[in-house]
Amino acid sequence: MTIVPVSRRTFIKSSTAATAGLVLSPAIIGRAEAATLKLKCSSSLPNDPKYANGRVYYDNLVKNLKGNGLGEQVEVAFFPDNQLGQEIDVINSVKLGVIDLMVSGSSISANLVPLVGTFDLGFLFSSFPQQTKAFDSGAAKPIEDALLKGGNIRIIAWAYNFGSRSVLAKKPVKTPEDLAGLKIRTLPNPVITECLRLMGAAATPLAFGEIYTALQAGVLDGLEHDPPTILASKFFETAKFYALTQHNFSPLAIYFSDVTYNRMDPKLREGFLDAAKKAAADTRAHGLAVEKEALATLGEKGVTVAECDREAFKKRVAPQHENFIKARPESKPVIDIIRATQA
């Protein structure tokens, strides 16, 4: 199991060379190497073993693969910090089978299959435990089916982003009026962008890897994200006011290429998927524990963490749900299950 600190250019170059070597000299491959399944796992977050969900999931995956006796049969190389490209490029590579695994929020895959955007609706979930209950009650199945059919991507399991998404800005934000005119980074995702626009912000879609420099340059006035990600990515260095809007409990998805799924030996695949699902459960427990710790640490680093008028924001975002259902009627059963699920 390896964490690979390489650039995207180096990765592509080495992958091309490796492919050429396989074509020209198949006889040089030793039996031991041929018997080892090698997978690539991508995350946009830094290589932080405590606050970055991608690295935490990877470490749990390695642990559970060894626990299932697959430590020598499956080798997963981990590429954090956008090493394989921005998320929109990576999710397309997972679709094609160029990259095997991706750890990221559900939001990025809505660019491939718009129905996934159901989970991005503002103030849809009340907590992560409530989200898990709703998924276990059937809310996740239509989304998973649509992603497999429309994107050639499987969801191995759902985990938690390490906290709900709230607004970090360069000035205090307590009401929608305070947010008016502020350029707040959102995921390149139309549903989240619309949510922040309805909340009052000048919603600004931008790739994750470009956030820090955009904050430094004044292109952005802030962003919306969870506390551990803000801490791990050092966004607190350029914006000092964190308003607990908690507008989105975005689920963390463990994306798995259907191309990779189909080329795996069925017996090996069964053990791998079991380990991957256990790793997601371990990551959920970790995520719930570190959110509060990260908030406290942000305070120690000079960030003002404050409550805000959540009901005012929620009221402004309410029309988004019905408009989404009108545009995508197939989302209604999913939304109904979530609304009916108590925490």
Side-chain angles (χ1 to χ4, degrees), residues 6 9 19 68 85 120 156 181 187 190 194 198 201 205 237 240 242 250 254 258 264 267-268 281 283 295:
V6 298
R9 179 178 295 177
T19 302
N68 281 6
D120 294 323
I156 290 181
L187 281 156
E194 177 68 1
L198 289 171
E237 294 179 347
K240 295 292 187 181
Y242 195 47
S250 173
I254 314 303
D258 192 48
M264 291 179 75
K267 291 183 179 179
L268 184 63
T283 303
L295 277 173

PDB file of all heavy atoms in Angstrom, residues 6 9 19 68 85 120 156 181 187 190 194 198 201 205 237 240 242 250 254 258 264 267-268 281 283 295:
ATOM      1  N   VAL A   6       3.442  12.293  -6.234  1.00  0.00           N
ATOM      2  CA  VAL A   6       3.914  12.612  -7.573  1.00  0.00           C
ATOM      3  C   VAL A   6       2.980  13.610  -8.222  1.00  0.00           C
ATOM      4  O   VAL A   6       1.820  13.756  -7.847  1.00  0.00           O
ATOM      5  CB  VAL A   6       3.994  11.340  -8.459  1.00  0.00           C
ATOM      6  CG1 VAL A   6       4.977  10.357  -7.879  1.00  0.00           C
ATOM      7  CG2 VAL A   6       2.621  10.692  -8.625  1.00  0.00           C
ATOM      8  N   ARG A   9       1.702  15.095 -14.153  1.00  0.00           N
ATOM      9  CA  ARG A   9       2.512  14.859 -15.345  1.00  0.00           C
ATOM     10  C   ARG A   9       3.380  13.620 -15.182  1.00  0.00           C
ATOM     11  O   ARG A   9       3.497  12.787 -16.067  1.00  0.00           O
ATOM     12  CB  ARG A   9       3.393  16.084 -15.620  1.00  0.00           C
ATOM     13  CG  ARG A   9       4.297  15.910 -16.845  1.00  0.00           C
ATOM     14  CD  ARG A   9       5.114  17.150 -17.107  1.00  0.00           C
ATOM     15  NE  ARG A   9       4.248  18.261 -17.473  1.00  0.00           N
ATOM     16  CZ  ARG A   9       4.711  19.493 -17.708  1.00  0.00           C
ATOM     17  NH1 ARG A   9       5.988  19.762 -17.599  1.00  0.00           N
ATOM     18  NH2 ARG A   9       3.870  20.454 -18.042  1.00  0.00           N
ATOM     19  N   THR A  19       2.639   1.095 -19.655  1.00  0.00           N
ATOM     20  CA  THR A  19       1.776   0.454 -20.651  1.00  0.00           C
ATOM     21  C   THR A  19       2.588  -0.038 -21.830  1.00  0.00           C
ATOM     22  O   THR A  19       2.404  -1.149 -22.320  1.00  0.00           O
ATOM     23  CB  THR A  19       0.694   1.445 -21.129  1.00  0.00           C
ATOM     24  OG1 THR A  19      -0.055   1.884 -19.990  1.00  0.00           O
ATOM     25  CG2 THR A  19      -0.237   0.789 -22.132  1.00  0.00           C
ATOM     26  N   ASN A  68      -8.728  -8.685   5.998  1.00  0.00           N
ATOM     27  CA  ASN A  68      -9.398  -9.689   5.170  1.00  0.00           C
ATOM     28  C   ASN A  68      -8.405 -10.617   4.471  1.00  0.00           C
ATOM     29  O   ASN A  68      -8.793 -11.419   3.619  1.00  0.00           O
ATOM     30  CB  ASN A  68     -10.277  -9.007   4.116  1.00  0.00           C
ATOM     31  CG  ASN A  68     -11.605  -8.529   4.689  1.00  0.00           C
ATOM     32  OD1 ASN A  68     -11.829  -8.609   5.894  1.00  0.00           O
ATOM     33  ND2 ASN A  68     -12.490  -8.033   3.844  1.00  0.00           N
ATOM     34  N   GLY A  85      -5.215  15.379 -11.083  1.00  0.00           N
ATOM     35  CA  GLY A  85      -6.040  16.368 -11.776  1.00  0.00           C
ATOM     36  C   GLY A  85      -7.165  16.892 -10.893  1.00  0.00           C
ATOM     37  O   GLY A  85      -7.388  16.398  -9.789  1.00  0.00           O
ATOM     38  N   ASP A 120     -27.514  17.458  -2.769  1.00  0.00           N
ATOM     39  CA  ASP A 120     -26.904  18.766  -2.559  1.00  0.00           C
ATOM     40  C   ASP A 120     -27.921  19.856  -2.214  1.00  0.00           C
ATOM     41  O   ASP A 120     -27.537  21.002  -1.959  1.00  0.00           O
ATOM     42  CB  ASP A 120     -26.134  19.198  -3.816  1.00  0.00           C
ATOM     43  CG  ASP A 120     -24.942  18.307  -4.091  1.00  0.00           C
ATOM     44  OD1 ASP A 120     -24.299  17.884  -3.124  1.00  0.00           O
ATOM     45  OD2 ASP A 120     -24.666  18.039  -5.278  1.00  0.00           O
ATOM     46  N   ILE A 156     -19.325   2.213  -3.768  1.00  0.00           N
ATOM     47  CA  ILE A 156     -18.990   1.108  -2.873  1.00  0.00           C
ATOM     48  C   ILE A 156     -19.733   1.273  -1.556  1.00  0.00           C
ATOM     49  O   ILE A 156     -20.298   0.337  -0.998  1.00  0.00           O
ATOM     50  CB  ILE A 156     -17.475   1.049  -2.609  1.00  0.00           C
ATOM     51  CG1 ILE A 156     -16.739   0.603  -3.871  1.00  0.00           C
ATOM     52  CG2 ILE A 156     -17.167   0.096  -1.446  1.00  0.00           C
ATOM     53  CD1 ILE A 156     -15.241   0.504  -3.696  1.00  0.00           C
ATOM     54  N   GLY A 181     -23.586  39.952  -1.894  1.00  0.00           N
ATOM     55  CA  GLY A 181     -22.465  40.496  -2.649  1.00  0.00           C
ATOM     56  C   GLY A 181     -21.137  39.807  -2.419  1.00  0.00           C
ATOM     57  O   GLY A 181     -20.177  40.046  -3.175  1.00  0.00           O
ATOM     58  N   LEU A 187     -18.674  24.450  -5.030  1.00  0.00           N
ATOM     59  CA  LEU A 187     -18.293  23.394  -5.951  1.00  0.00           C
ATOM     60  C   LEU A 187     -18.818  23.726  -7.353  1.00  0.00           C
ATOM     61  O   LEU A 187     -19.850  24.408  -7.486  1.00  0.00           O
ATOM     62  CB  LEU A 187     -18.904  22.067  -5.506  1.00  0.00           C
ATOM     63  CG  LEU A 187     -18.204  21.337  -4.377  1.00  0.00           C
ATOM     64  CD1 LEU A 187     -19.186  20.427  -3.663  1.00  0.00           C
ATOM     65  CD2 LEU A 187     -17.053  20.515  -4.933  1.00  0.00           C
ATOM     66  N   PRO A 190     -24.264  22.878 -10.098  1.00  0.00           N
ATOM     67  CA  PRO A 190     -25.344  23.863 -10.191  1.00  0.00           C
ATOM     68  C   PRO A 190     -26.266  23.908  -8.978  1.00  0.00           C
ATOM     69  O   PRO A 190     -26.804  24.968  -8.649  1.00  0.00           O
ATOM     70  CB  PRO A 190     -26.103  23.445 -11.450  1.00  0.00           C
ATOM     71  CG  PRO A 190     -25.737  22.013 -11.681  1.00  0.00           C
ATOM     72  CD  PRO A 190     -24.343  21.869 -11.177  1.00  0.00           C
ATOM     73  N   GLU A 194     -26.665  27.185  -6.732  1.00  0.00           N
ATOM     74  CA  GLU A 194     -27.983  27.802  -6.563  1.00  0.00           C
ATOM     75  C   GLU A 194     -28.333  27.976  -5.091  1.00  0.00           C
ATOM     76  O   GLU A 194     -28.923  28.987  -4.692  1.00  0.00           O
ATOM     77  CB  GLU A 194     -29.043  26.937  -7.262  1.00  0.00           C
ATOM     78  CG  GLU A 194     -30.474  27.409  -7.105  1.00  0.00           C
ATOM     79  CD  GLU A 194     -30.777  28.718  -7.820  1.00  0.00           C
ATOM     80  OE1 GLU A 194     -29.875  29.268  -8.478  1.00  0.00           O
ATOM     81  OE2 GLU A 194     -31.928  29.183  -7.723  1.00  0.00           O
ATOM     82  N   LEU A 198     -29.248  31.548  -3.418  1.00  0.00           N
ATOM     83  CA  LEU A 198     -30.487  31.797  -2.686  1.00  0.00           C
ATOM     84  C   LEU A 198     -30.199  32.283  -1.260  1.00  0.00           C
ATOM     85  O   LEU A 198     -30.962  33.082  -0.701  1.00  0.00           O
ATOM     86  CB  LEU A 198     -31.336  30.527  -2.641  1.00  0.00           C
ATOM     87  CG  LEU A 198     -31.971  30.098  -3.968  1.00  0.00           C
ATOM     88  CD1 LEU A 198     -32.597  28.721  -3.847  1.00  0.00           C
ATOM     89  CD2 LEU A 198     -33.013  31.120  -4.428  1.00  0.00           C
ATOM     90  N   ALA A 201     -25.438  34.943  -1.404  1.00  0.00           N
ATOM     91  CA  ALA A 201     -24.056  35.144  -1.841  1.00  0.00           C
ATOM     92  C   ALA A 201     -23.950  35.330  -3.355  1.00  0.00           C
ATOM     93  O   ALA A 201     -24.854  34.957  -4.109  1.00  0.00           O
ATOM     94  CB  ALA A 201     -23.198  33.958  -1.420  1.00  0.00           C
ATOM     95  N   PRO A 205     -18.509  29.268  -8.622  1.00  0.00           N
ATOM     96  CA  PRO A 205     -17.965  27.911  -8.789  1.00  0.00           C
ATOM     97  C   PRO A 205     -16.472  27.971  -9.112  1.00  0.00           C
ATOM     98  O   PRO A 205     -16.034  28.799  -9.909  1.00  0.00           O
ATOM     99  CB  PRO A 205     -18.757  27.358  -9.974  1.00  0.00           C
ATOM    100  CG  PRO A 205     -19.960  28.246 -10.101  1.00  0.00           C
ATOM    101  CD  PRO A 205     -19.524  29.592  -9.628  1.00  0.00           C
ATOM    102  N   GLU A 237      -6.082  30.741   6.888  1.00  0.00           N
ATOM    103  CA  GLU A 237      -5.013  31.737   6.813  1.00  0.00           C
ATOM    104  C   GLU A 237      -5.447  32.989   6.058  1.00  0.00           C
ATOM    105  O   GLU A 237      -4.850  34.051   6.219  1.00  0.00           O
ATOM    106  CB  GLU A 237      -3.773  31.129   6.144  1.00  0.00           C
ATOM    107  CG  GLU A 237      -3.115  30.022   6.961  1.00  0.00           C
ATOM    108  CD  GLU A 237      -1.915  29.406   6.285  1.00  0.00           C
ATOM    109  OE1 GLU A 237      -1.713  29.657   5.076  1.00  0.00           O
ATOM    110  OE2 GLU A 237      -1.178  28.652   6.952  1.00  0.00           O
ATOM    111  N   LYS A 240     -11.219  34.680   8.166  1.00  0.00           N
ATOM    112  CA  LYS A 240     -11.199  34.487   9.618  1.00  0.00           C
ATOM    113  C   LYS A 240     -12.577  34.404  10.288  1.00  0.00           C
ATOM    114  O   LYS A 240     -12.657  34.373  11.513  1.00  0.00           O
ATOM    115  CB  LYS A 240     -10.413  35.633  10.268  1.00  0.00           C
ATOM    116  CG  LYS A 240      -8.934  35.664   9.889  1.00  0.00           C
ATOM    117  CD  LYS A 240      -8.174  34.469  10.457  1.00  0.00           C
ATOM    118  CE  LYS A 240      -6.680  34.569  10.223  1.00  0.00           C
ATOM    119  NZ  LYS A 240      -5.956  33.384  10.753  1.00  0.00           N
ATOM    120  N   TYR A 242     -16.150  32.227  10.497  1.00  0.00           N
ATOM    121  CA  TYR A 242     -16.838  31.005  10.112  1.00  0.00           C
ATOM    122  C   TYR A 242     -18.247  31.023  10.673  1.00  0.00           C
ATOM    123  O   TYR A 242     -18.467  30.919  11.884  1.00  0.00           O
ATOM    124  CB  TYR A 242     -16.072  29.788  10.651  1.00  0.00           C
ATOM    125  CG  TYR A 242     -16.472  28.470  10.022  1.00  0.00           C
ATOM    126  CD1 TYR A 242     -16.604  28.328   8.644  1.00  0.00           C
ATOM    127  CD2 TYR A 242     -16.683  27.338  10.814  1.00  0.00           C
ATOM    128  CE1 TYR A 242     -16.949  27.111   8.078  1.00  0.00           C
ATOM    129  CE2 TYR A 242     -17.022  26.111  10.250  1.00  0.00           C
ATOM    130  CZ  TYR A 242     -17.160  26.008   8.877  1.00  0.00           C
ATOM    131  OH  TYR A 242     -17.500  24.806   8.307  1.00  0.00           O
ATOM    132  N   SER A 250     -23.287  17.112   3.059  1.00  0.00           N
ATOM    133  CA  SER A 250     -22.956  16.401   1.825  1.00  0.00           C
ATOM    134  C   SER A 250     -22.388  15.018   2.130  1.00  0.00           C
ATOM    135  O   SER A 250     -21.404  14.893   2.864  1.00  0.00           O
ATOM    136  CB  SER A 250     -21.920  17.208   1.026  1.00  0.00           C
ATOM    137  OG  SER A 250     -21.465  16.477  -0.085  1.00  0.00           O
ATOM    138  N   ILE A 254     -17.656   6.806  -1.927  1.00  0.00           N
ATOM    139  CA  ILE A 254     -16.515   6.007  -2.331  1.00  0.00           C
ATOM    140  C   ILE A 254     -16.833   5.507  -3.735  1.00  0.00           C
ATOM    141  O   ILE A 254     -17.576   4.544  -3.919  1.00  0.00           O
ATOM    142  CB  ILE A 254     -16.250   4.830  -1.373  1.00  0.00           C
ATOM    143  CG1 ILE A 254     -16.309   5.298   0.088  1.00  0.00           C
ATOM    144  CG2 ILE A 254     -14.915   4.174  -1.704  1.00  0.00           C
ATOM    145  CD1 ILE A 254     -15.349   6.429   0.430  1.00  0.00           C
ATOM    146  N   ASP A 258     -16.786   1.001 -12.740  1.00  0.00           N
ATOM    147  CA  ASP A 258     -17.423  -0.254 -13.133  1.00  0.00           C
ATOM    148  C   ASP A 258     -16.500  -1.073 -14.031  1.00  0.00           C
ATOM    149  O   ASP A 258     -16.587  -2.302 -14.069  1.00  0.00           O
ATOM    150  CB  ASP A 258     -18.743   0.029 -13.851  1.00  0.00           C
ATOM    151  CG  ASP A 258     -19.597  -1.221 -14.026  1.00  0.00           C
ATOM    152  OD1 ASP A 258     -19.770  -1.956 -13.030  1.00  0.00           O
ATOM    153  OD2 ASP A 258     -20.075  -1.471 -15.152  1.00  0.00           O
ATOM    154  N   MET A 264     -12.188  -7.492 -12.140  1.00  0.00           N
ATOM    155  CA  MET A 264     -11.692  -8.167 -10.945  1.00  0.00           C
ATOM    156  C   MET A 264     -12.185  -9.605 -10.876  1.00  0.00           C
ATOM    157  O   MET A 264     -13.327  -9.904 -11.276  1.00  0.00           O
ATOM    158  CB  MET A 264     -12.143  -7.416  -9.683  1.00  0.00           C
ATOM    159  CG  MET A 264     -11.484  -6.064  -9.492  1.00  0.00           C
ATOM    160  SD  MET A 264     -12.089  -5.208  -7.996  1.00  0.00           S
ATOM    161  CE  MET A 264     -11.241  -6.155  -6.726  1.00  0.00           C
ATOM    162  N   LYS A 267     -13.962 -13.677  -6.653  1.00  0.00           N
ATOM    163  CA  LYS A 267     -13.622 -13.983  -5.266  1.00  0.00           C
ATOM    164  C   LYS A 267     -12.821 -12.857  -4.633  1.00  0.00           C
ATOM    165  O   LYS A 267     -13.062 -12.474  -3.480  1.00  0.00           O
ATOM    166  CB  LYS A 267     -12.845 -15.303  -5.197  1.00  0.00           C
ATOM    167  CG  LYS A 267     -13.677 -16.524  -5.537  1.00  0.00           C
ATOM    168  CD  LYS A 267     -12.867 -17.803  -5.389  1.00  0.00           C
ATOM    169  CE  LYS A 267     -13.717 -19.030  -5.714  1.00  0.00           C
ATOM    170  NZ  LYS A 267     -12.935 -20.284  -5.594  1.00  0.00           N
ATOM    171  N   LEU A 268     -11.873 -12.317  -5.385  1.00  0.00           N
ATOM    172  CA  LEU A 268     -11.078 -11.198  -4.880  1.00  0.00           C
ATOM    173  C   LEU A 268     -11.957  -9.965  -4.707  1.00  0.00           C
ATOM    174  O   LEU A 268     -11.834  -9.228  -3.725  1.00  0.00           O
ATOM    175  CB  LEU A 268      -9.936 -10.903  -5.846  1.00  0.00           C
ATOM    176  CG  LEU A 268      -8.949  -9.806  -5.426  1.00  0.00           C
ATOM    177  CD1 LEU A 268      -8.225 -10.191  -4.145  1.00  0.00           C
ATOM    178  CD2 LEU A 268      -7.947  -9.532  -6.535  1.00  0.00           C
ATOM    179  N   ALA A 281     -17.358   2.642   7.035  1.00  0.00           N
ATOM    180  CA  ALA A 281     -17.955   2.717   8.371  1.00  0.00           C
ATOM    181  C   ALA A 281     -16.961   3.292   9.375  1.00  0.00           C
ATOM    182  O   ALA A 281     -17.321   4.121  10.222  1.00  0.00           O
ATOM    183  CB  ALA A 281     -18.415   1.331   8.814  1.00  0.00           C
ATOM    184  N   THR A 283     -14.561   5.324   8.673  1.00  0.00           N
ATOM    185  CA  THR A 283     -14.378   6.730   8.318  1.00  0.00           C
ATOM    186  C   THR A 283     -15.540   7.576   8.833  1.00  0.00           C
ATOM    187  O   THR A 283     -15.353   8.733   9.245  1.00  0.00           O
ATOM    188  CB  THR A 283     -14.215   6.883   6.796  1.00  0.00           C
ATOM    189  OG1 THR A 283     -13.104   6.082   6.365  1.00  0.00           O
ATOM    190  CG2 THR A 283     -13.953   8.336   6.407  1.00  0.00           C
ATOM    191  N   LEU A 295     -13.251  22.474  14.817  1.00  0.00           N
ATOM    192  CA  LEU A 295     -13.826  23.784  15.149  1.00  0.00           C
ATOM    193  C   LEU A 295     -13.046  24.462  16.267  1.00  0.00           C
ATOM    194  O   LEU A 295     -12.748  25.658  16.198  1.00  0.00           O
ATOM    195  CB  LEU A 295     -15.293  23.625  15.556  1.00  0.00           C
ATOM    196  CG  LEU A 295     -16.330  23.540  14.437  1.00  0.00           C
ATOM    197  CD1 LEU A 295     -17.698  23.221  15.008  1.00  0.00           C
ATOM    198  CD2 LEU A 295     -16.377  24.840  13.637  1.00  0.00           C
TER     199      LEU A 295
END
